[in-house]
């Protein structure tokens, strides 16, 4: 009987807590939405599965010598994972249309209104003195960067400013981007006519290879000299784009936008999911 009792006490079922059960349900929901609804499946599936593993009692996979914790220490505090993903994104990006019509830069700049609006909103909420909602400036900045609609940037900034909020911010960022296809169409229909929506946008002029090669080099130098803190992220993005446009290293460009980014995406998702433990996630903040 004592052996049976000890065996029972060694199981995860004996040690499981209500918060862990709730978080397991949340992680299963993320996986369901990724598979059934197509919400950012490339990241929500590994994030959800990483959350499942981190909430299994006794396994301790997200702490100490646990597998997920070791991957986290390699990839997120060092920013290696977001930087490698940005290199892959750079190698996928064609800047031809933007170089042909530089005014389109203003569309991207408009995102800053949302970022700074959210930053001020989080600080205003903190000023109300509501228990559990005391956001520091760094925490508010990490929340606000979600408005940039870019998961790797959200993870990069949060890992630097507020790593304890990494799990919820990453999930919020990717869930937000996954919902854009649902949110955007009714807004577009409300603000435009059917004839306007039928307009086909064409590139204003052909953009030569020389322009496309000079652009990532100038981008890296300009951002690096003006904002050194952003140099790693923008630099890796520029490197990926240079590999794409150079025309002489197709093997490297292909690896960065396919095999490498896929491998890093798996590990990034698992490590973000490891931060979805009940202790760190189930807070008012």
């Amino acid at each position: 009987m004592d052996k049976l009792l000890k065996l029972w006490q060694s199981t995860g079922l004996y040690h499981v807590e209500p918060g862990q059960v709730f978080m397991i349900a949340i992680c299963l929901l993320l996986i369901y939405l990724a598979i059934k609804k197509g919400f950012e499946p490339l990241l929500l599936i590994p994030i959800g599965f990483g959350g499942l593993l981190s909430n299994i009692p006794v396994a301790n996979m997200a702490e100490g010598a646990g597998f997920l914790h070791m991957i986290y220490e390699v990839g997120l505090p060092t920013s290696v994972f977001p930087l490698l993903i940005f290199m892959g994104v750079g190698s996928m990006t064609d800047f031809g249309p933007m170089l042909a019509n530089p005014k389109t830069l203003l569309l991207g700049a408009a995102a800053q209104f949302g970022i700074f609006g959210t930053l001020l909103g989080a600080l205003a909420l903190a000023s109300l003195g509501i228990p559990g909602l005391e956001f520091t400036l760094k925490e508010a900045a990490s929340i606000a960067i979600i408005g940039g609609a870019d998961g790797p940037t959200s993870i990069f900034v949060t890992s630097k400013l507020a790593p304890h909020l990494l799990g919820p911010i990453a999930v919020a960022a990717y869930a937000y981007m996954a919902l854009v296809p649902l949110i955007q169409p009714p807004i577009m229909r409300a603000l435009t006519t059917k004839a306007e929506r039928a307009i086909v946008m064409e590139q204003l002029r052909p953009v030569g290879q020389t322009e496309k090669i000079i652009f990532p080099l100038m981008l890296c130098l300009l951002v690096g000299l003006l904002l050194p803190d952003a140099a790693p992220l923008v630099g890796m993005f520029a490197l990926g784009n240079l590999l794409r446009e150079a025309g002489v290293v197709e093997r490297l460009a292909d690896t960065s936008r396919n095999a490498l980014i896929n491998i890093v995406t798996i590990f990034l998702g698992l490590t973000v999911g490891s931060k979805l433990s009940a202790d760190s996630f189930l807070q008012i903040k």
Side-chain angles (χ1 to χ4, degrees):
M1 195 66 181
D2 290 339
K3 290 183 178 180
L4 288 176
L5 180 61
K6 289 181 180 179
L7 179 62
W8 167 243
Q9 291 176 343
S10 67
T11 66
L13 289 173
Y14 177 82
H15 294 276
V16 71
E17 298 177 357
Q20 292 171 320
V21 174
F22 180 77
M23 287 308 303
I24 287 174
I26 292 292
C27 293
L28 290 174
L29 177 62
L30 293 178
I31 295 173
Y32 168 80
L33 292 174
I35 296 174
K36 189 70 175 178
K37 303 296 184 181
F39 288 0
E40 290 291 331
L42 290 178
L43 266 158
L44 284 190
I45 289 177
I47 286 176
F49 201 84
L52 286 180
L53 295 177
S54 68
N55 283 285
I56 294 177
V58 185
N60 297 325
M61 294 190 66
E63 54 191 66
F67 174 65
L68 295 180
H69 182 71
M70 288 190 291
I71 298 177
Y72 171 83
E73 289 295 329
V74 168
L76 286 188
T78 61
S79 301
V80 167
F81 289 167
L83 293 177
L84 290 177
I85 284 184
F86 247 62
M87 182 174 68
V89 172
S91 66
M92 298 178 191
T93 304
D94 178 12
F95 283 107
M98 188 210 72
L99 292 173
N101 186 13
K103 289 185 294 185
T104 55
L105 279 170
L106 297 175
L107 297 175
Q112 310 313 309
F113 290 104
I115 291 174
F116 284 97
T118 305
L119 171 67
L120 297 175
L123 293 175
L125 188 63
S127 68
L128 297 178
I130 301 174
L133 290 181
E134 302 90 354
F135 297 113
T136 65
L137 179 59
K138 290 184 177 181
E139 290 174 337
S142 298
I143 296 168
I145 202 65
I146 296 172
D150 176 34
T153 302
S154 297
I155 292 171
F156 178 82
V157 171
T158 304
S159 66
K160 295 291 186 183
L161 300 182
H164 56 287
L165 294 180
L166 182 61
I169 283 178
V171 171
Y174 284 106
Y176 157 52
M177 287 185 288
L179 289 173
V180 166
L182 298 179
I183 299 171
Q184 194 178 56
I187 296 175
M188 298 301 290
R189 285 194 293 269
L191 298 178
T192 60
T193 66
K194 188 174 182 180
E196 289 172 333
R197 294 193 296 274
I199 295 174
V200 178
M201 300 289 289
E202 296 182 356
Q203 189 165 311
L204 297 182
R205 65 176 178 85
V207 177
Q209 184 185 28
T210 301
E211 286 182 80
K212 292 185 176 182
I213 290 175
I214 292 174
F215 178 75
L217 296 173
M218 294 300 297
L219 176 68
C220 180
L221 289 173
L222 183 63
V223 173
L225 292 173
L226 293 178
L227 298 168
D229 287 345
L233 206 62
V234 176
M236 293 303 290
F237 182 79
L239 171 60
N241 192 248
L242 181 62
L243 295 177
R244 170 195 171 96
E245 304 299 350
V248 292
V249 285
E250 180 55 31
R251 285 173 53 192
L252 299 183
D254 181 69
T255 298
S256 65
R257 64 173 169 256
N258 289 300
L260 181 59
I261 198 172
N262 289 335
I263 292 170
V264 175
T265 296
I266 292 172
F267 288 137
L268 177 64
L270 287 173
T271 52
V272 169
S274 73
K275 294 301 175 183
L276 296 184
S277 63
D279 291 340
S280 61
F281 197 87
L282 296 181
Q283 300 178 25
I284 294 177
K285 179 179 291 187

